[in-house]
Amino acid sequence: GDGEPPSNASKFWRKIRREKNPKFLSHMKYTVLGLGDTNYANFCNVGRVLDRRFEELGATRFYASAWADDAVGYDWTDIDGHD
């Protein structure tokens, strides 16, 4: 991808982007793990836009958002301590 959401998220994406009520997601707690590749110009674009948009719509972030980069690989031992 080049910074666009997956096709199965298109309805959700449109709704979130068009919503105008700043308290629309005030009941929601969230975190975002953006998956991307820095070889593409729009690295983790969907995750970054969702993160910003959730905040604008009143949601509360419960853990810092993170951006995983497939270009450098990912070592799962960093997360759960397993080899």
Side-chain angles (χ1 to χ4, degrees):
D2 194 22
E4 70 278 346
S7 59
N8 62 352
S10 60
K11 241 178 155 174
F12 169 75
W13 185 251
R14 279 193 308 273
K15 173 66 175 168
I16 290 298
R17 290 184 58 117
R18 292 179 181 164
E19 184 57 52
K20 302 218 187 290
N21 179 356
K23 294 184 180 184
F24 182 71
L25 297 177
S26 62
H27 63 284
M28 186 175 94
K29 294 182 181 177
Y30 78 98
T31 192
V32 173
L33 173 60
L35 306 176
D37 186 324
T38 51
N39 291 309
Y40 290 89
N42 295 314
F43 174 66
C44 290
N45 184 61
V46 172
R48 292 175 190 276
V49 171
L50 276 179
D51 185 49
R52 183 174 51 247
R53 195 68 183 127
F54 285 172
E55 188 174 26
E56 290 170 353
L57 295 175
T60 302
R61 186 181 297 112
F62 69 86
Y63 195 77
S65 297
W67 320 115
D69 185 0
D70 193 44
V72 296
Y74 194 82
D75 181 359
W76 287 102
T77 57
D78 291 343
I79 287 185
D80 62 14
H82 295 104
D83 294 327

